[in-house]
Amino acid sequence: MMKRTSKVLQIAFTYMGTIVGAGFATGQEILQFFTRFGLPGAITIIMATLMFIWLGAKMMLIAADIRAKSYEDVNKVLFGERYGRWVSHFMLLMLFGVCAVMLAGAGSIFSENWNISYQSGLLITIFGCFLLLRKGMNAILAVNAIVVPIMLLFTVLIIIDTVQTPGANRWLLLSSDHSLLSIWASPFLYAAFNLSMAQAVLVPLGAEMHDRKTIVYGSWVGGIGIGFMLLAGHIALSVYMPGIRQFAIPMGGIARELGHGIQLIYIFLIFAEIFTTLIADIYGLTLQLQERLKISRTLLTIITLACCYVASQIGFGPLLSTLYPLFGLISLGWLVLLIRQRPPARD
């Protein structure tokens, strides 16, 4: 029983840590996909949460069923042998783009908050990634086991502070002039992009798990955890709307209300969340490349990190605003096929 509980929490924390990347932890994703729509934002968060629970489990069960070596194996199940390979090629580029965004985000935190140059921040982050990635999946599990519970604790603090703030019920009162299409498309776009990118880690993680119930329970705990953090962020951001939209890091602005010390901790947490997503995505990327290139994982990791360093010279803002909307639209096709895919046969 204890062993299963430990495995369930490993899956849940890794799931949450992979989804809670730069855009989520800063509050920008919550603002763009949910809060700007007012009251319907809370309903669409529940819709996204249900998709994370259902489709996260489905993806990992498929991976466990076929003993997938990388996410390309799952894409071949969804799209067929020929198209699955092409989709995986494109997702390889998407994953590389996301890694470059995460690395640029880490560099920005160093330069904007810790008085360390952007380039030095990039190099420190790359060095940390390389050291951890040498330990493989165990390092990803270990880092998320530390970072995610702290993030959950901080989310609880945000909620407690929000409840005591005048206008705490604003999330129930906010209206929106956005079209119904953009409001109801947002949870699907959000889930599609995040799940398609998370498969780089969830597929090898699911393939390692031999107990189906552990995968299902892990997906439930992880999905509910993601939904809780989304809803907490949405309620807190709603209190400060529309002024909060001017902040590059909206959740950092809210953290400032809790005091200077808490704000410093939260900035570190944002970095930690970016870091966990980065090592998870680099891990998935090198797994995929290793199947194609047949060279050592260490060399692939060095080459991948070097390429991300070059791409990150473009900067965090331009990368995020250009790549993410494009990837979200493309990921919708992948989401539809995952929804349509029949669950793997039971043993």
Side-chain angles (χ1 to χ4, degrees):
M1 185 65 184
M2 286 298 292
K3 189 176 180 183
R4 174 180 278 179
T5 303
S6 172
K7 292 284 185 186
V8 166
L9 290 176
Q10 276 188 343
I11 292 173
F13 289 158
T14 303
Y15 194 2
M16 284 186 264
T18 305
I19 297 294
V20 184
F24 185 116
T26 59
Q28 280 291 358
E29 276 185 16
I30 301 173
L31 207 56
Q32 295 304 319
F33 283 92
F34 305 108
T35 306
R36 69 192 179 105
F37 299 128
L39 177 59
I43 301 164
T44 53
I45 283 172
I46 294 168
M47 290 170 62
T49 302
L50 292 173
M51 281 188 275
F52 281 126
I53 294 168
W54 171 38
L55 298 174
K58 195 172 187 179
M59 190 199 309
M60 286 187 276
L61 286 170
I62 293 170
D65 190 58
I66 64 173
R67 294 287 180 264
K69 290 177 183 159
S70 72
Y71 64 82
E72 182 168 340
D73 295 336
V74 171
N75 283 330
K76 284 177 181 175
V77 170
L78 297 178
F79 293 90
E81 187 76 24
R82 181 184 173 189
Y83 291 113
R85 189 176 291 112
W86 281 107
V87 168
S88 294
H89 287 328
F90 187 77
M91 284 193 166
L92 205 63
L93 293 175
M94 283 173 65
L95 205 54
F96 174 75
V98 170
C99 289
V101 169
M102 293 295 154
L103 185 58
S108 296
I109 285 178
F110 275 91
S111 62
E112 290 177 12
N113 297 282
W114 296 332
N115 294 319
I116 297 172
S117 74
Y118 180 75
Q119 299 300 330
S120 299
L122 294 179
L123 294 172
I124 291 166
T125 307
I126 284 171
F127 183 67
C129 281
F130 178 72
L131 289 180
L132 280 170
L133 284 166
R134 293 186 68 185
K135 301 185 184 297
M137 180 61 80
N138 288 335
I140 295 170
L141 296 174
V143 170
N144 281 301
I146 296 166
V147 173
V148 172
I150 298 172
M151 193 72 186
L152 283 167
L153 177 63
F154 190 87
T155 304
V156 170
L157 289 176
I158 289 281
I159 279 288
I160 292 169
D161 181 68
T162 301
V163 168
Q164 297 170 351
T165 304
N169 65 339
R170 284 203 72 208
W171 65 283
L172 294 167
L173 308 171
L174 282 176
S175 59
S176 165
D177 56 0
H178 292 279
S179 70
L180 287 174
L181 178 63
S182 60
I183 291 170
W184 298 112
S186 68
F188 294 96
L189 282 167
Y190 185 76
F193 174 69
N194 280 288
L195 279 167
S196 64
M197 291 297 95
Q199 69 173 324
V201 176
L202 295 186
V203 166
L205 183 61
E208 282 185 12
M209 299 291 169
H210 305 295
D211 181 29
R212 301 173 74 86
K213 284 186 178 177
T214 300
I215 290 173
V216 172
Y217 294 157
S219 188
W220 268 94
V221 177
I224 290 169
I226 293 164
F228 168 68
M229 287 194 279
L230 276 174
L231 195 57
H234 168 67
I235 293 169
L237 288 165
S238 296
V239 174
Y240 301 97
M241 281 287 281
I244 196 72
R245 297 180 72 169
Q246 68 183 318
F247 287 91
I249 303 177
M251 291 301 286
I254 292 173
R256 193 177 299 136
E257 301 295 317
L258 298 173
H260 184 64
I262 296 290
Q263 188 189 11
L264 288 175
I265 294 168
Y266 190 66
I267 294 296
F268 177 76
L269 270 177
I270 292 173
F271 172 76
E273 288 294 358
I274 290 172
F275 189 72
T276 56
T277 306
L278 179 61
I279 59 170
D281 287 347
I282 294 282
Y283 177 78
L285 195 57
T286 53
L287 267 184
Q288 194 63 36
L289 288 169
Q290 198 171 27
E291 280 199 352
R292 288 169 165 77
L293 302 176
K294 308 297 182 191
I295 59 178
S296 78
R297 174 81 61 79
T298 302
L299 182 57
L300 276 174
T301 302
I302 292 169
I303 293 169
T304 304
L305 286 168
C307 291
C308 286
Y309 173 77
V310 173
S312 66
Q313 302 303 311
I314 298 168
F316 182 54
L319 279 170
L320 192 74
S321 59
T322 305
L323 295 179
Y324 274 33
L326 174 66
F327 292 167
L329 283 170
I330 292 161
S331 299
L332 268 179
W334 176 89
L335 184 81
V336 170
L337 285 172
L338 182 61
I339 289 170
R340 288 177 57 193
Q341 181 65 30
R342 289 182 180 180
R346 292 189 178 277
D347 297 326

